[in-house]
Amino acid sequence: MAVAGAAVFVWLGMVLAISFVEAPLKFRAPGVTIALGLGIGRLVFRALNASEIVLAAVIVAALVVGTPSAGVTAAILVAIGALLVQVIGVRPYLTRRSDAVLADASQAETGRSLAHYVYVVFEVVKVVALLVGGVLLLNP
């Protein structure tokens, strides 16, 4: 269960650092245009999501080998479910939106899309689920 706990907290740290620190701050850096920020964001979130999938697989494997509590299992399933909704359900909309903004910068003036807010909601769900799962793994 130690491997699962470590992977949960690495995953949690990555989401917090990238989604709630790097992503909002990059657009405030001097010289970062909307196009540059979107390009960086695409690369960073593609890498984050790939890393999350690997960490989720490690956690599932560790939990299959161990004997997790129902609370741990539920929390991890919520986190994985949120990730799957983001990657399969929301990211395609975000990609289309960023394509439109990259093709016509005036599209950025309409503000963030609903898909962006949905993605953020699922990030919060994921953070809470990972925090709960990680704490439960620390206290067997």
Side-chain angles (χ1 to χ4, degrees), residues 69-119:
S69 69
V72 167
T73 301
I76 298 307
L77 288 176
V78 167
I80 292 170
L83 174 62
L84 291 174
V85 168
Q86 288 176 309
V87 170
I88 297 168
V90 182
R91 260 191 62 204
Y93 290 101
L94 290 174
T95 299
R96 283 195 290 278
R97 167 75 173 150
S98 63
D99 286 345
V101 171
L102 290 170
D104 177 9
S106 69
Q107 293 288 325
E109 296 170 12
T110 63
R112 291 188 173 132
S113 67
L114 176 61
H116 179 264
Y117 292 110
V118 170
Y119 193 93

Side-chain angles (χ1 to χ4, degrees), residues 39-51:
I40 292 168
R42 282 179 162 189
L43 290 173
V44 169
F45 276 91
R46 191 175 304 128
L48 172 63
N49 292 153
S51 298

Side-chain angles (χ1 to χ4, degrees), residues 23-49:
L25 290 178
K26 90 172 140 255
F27 289 101
R28 294 184 182 157
V32 175
T33 63
I34 296 290
L36 182 59
L38 287 175
I40 292 168
R42 282 179 162 189
L43 290 173
V44 169
F45 276 91
R46 191 175 304 128
L48 172 63
N49 292 153

Side-chain angles (χ1 to χ4, degrees), residues 12-65:
L12 175 62
M14 290 177 72
V15 170
L16 289 172
I18 292 172
S19 294
F20 297 104
V21 177
E22 181 275 339
L25 290 178
K26 90 172 140 255
F27 289 101
R28 294 184 182 157
V32 175
T33 63
I34 296 290
L36 182 59
L38 287 175
I40 292 168
R42 282 179 162 189
L43 290 173
V44 169
F45 276 91
R46 191 175 304 128
L48 172 63
N49 292 153
S51 298
E52 289 179 290
I53 290 167
V54 170
L55 287 166
V58 167
I59 293 164
V60 167
L63 295 180
V64 166
V65 171

